[in-house]
Amino acid sequence: MIYETFREAVKNIWSNKFRTVLTMLGIIIGVTAVIVIVGLGNGMTQSIKDSFSEMGTNILSVQITGRGSRTVTVQQMYDIVDSHPEVFTGMSPTTTLDSTVKVDTTTYGYTSVKGVSETYLDMMGRTLAQGRGLTYVDITDNKKVCVVGDYIARAAYGGNAIGQTIKIGSERFTIVGVLKANVSSTTDQEGTDDDMIFVPYTTAQRISKTSASSYGVVLVSDELADEGKNLLVVGIESILHAEDGYFITSLSEMLETMTSMINMVVAILTAIAAISLLVGGIGIMNIMMVSVTERTREIGIRKALGAKERSILGLFVTEAATTSALGGVLGIVLGYIVSMAANRILPMISSSIDVTVSPSFNSIVVAFGISVGIGVLFGYLPAKRAARLNPIEALRYD
């Protein structure tokens, strides 16, 4: 009976191909939209996680603004960190230099210059391709040496940067190391993660005539973010004797906030896309009502020959569910096609876009299940109407 009911439903659908396609459009569009939107949300979430993992989710960013004449020195920050080795593994002061970078007569206006300690590059997971990194002696002696990114080494020196000099502001620095290309850099232009220069933070402070106010503190594990933050708060407030004058930011907290925001936006967009599924369900109900009217005599004949109400009900519900399920399958196929097209088009629009539309298996299963459920739900009322037709009145229908 199940096979015969399904075969009969497919036969009726096939006999009205064009009408069936129009009926399925709402389901197809709804399923496609849900799959693409969820896939885009997954891609954005993964892209953000990759970006934060490169920066280090186990790093606390500390900004000291001071309280009146009171501030926190570099040595005091080191003392706070060193006194809790079970929570912190290291720290680096950071100072940004707003200085022009020049090589001979060429100016590199997008190059970022940052003063750091000898442990900073290891903290950020950067590795050297040539030469050496900054050393403790470079820091203590305020040496004018630097480590440059892969872009500067290739663009300015043709790959032979070690031992060359580079002008930062009015000072000349000797290049002692070149970093490996950062995998997150998808372009060969200025302003990428490889277009950076790192100098000793003591030298940067002397040039800028400022003291260090920014610090990167490395945690043993990102699970210790809250504990580490509390320890820093206690240590800094004991020096400043105030509850303000500083800011502490956890990258893991920022990641959670941004991920939750993306999930909320995706949920809203998915709900909007699901309206198409509702419209598709109403379309299926409308067509099934028309089908019941068109097949009134057929229903009367079936009931006169002994067909039970549940058989008639099952036939029309199966037909509605099959129509909706077929629309769901076509929507899934179209969703994958649109996702693949988006993955090719987005990088062409902007080279800075590093998001992959990744449809998830769960979203596909849910979208297909909802499409079938809508077919059954909206097909039940017309099917119930067909099952309750009086066979004598049905046979008289013209």
Side-chain angles (χ1 to χ4, degrees), residues 300-309 311:
I301 293 171
R302 286 176 179 271
K303 298 193 76 172
L305 292 174
K308 297 180 180 180
E309 283 192 9
S311 300

Side-chain angles (χ1 to χ4, degrees), residues 81 121 162 216 348:
V81 171
L121 296 178
I162 300 297
M348 296 179 185

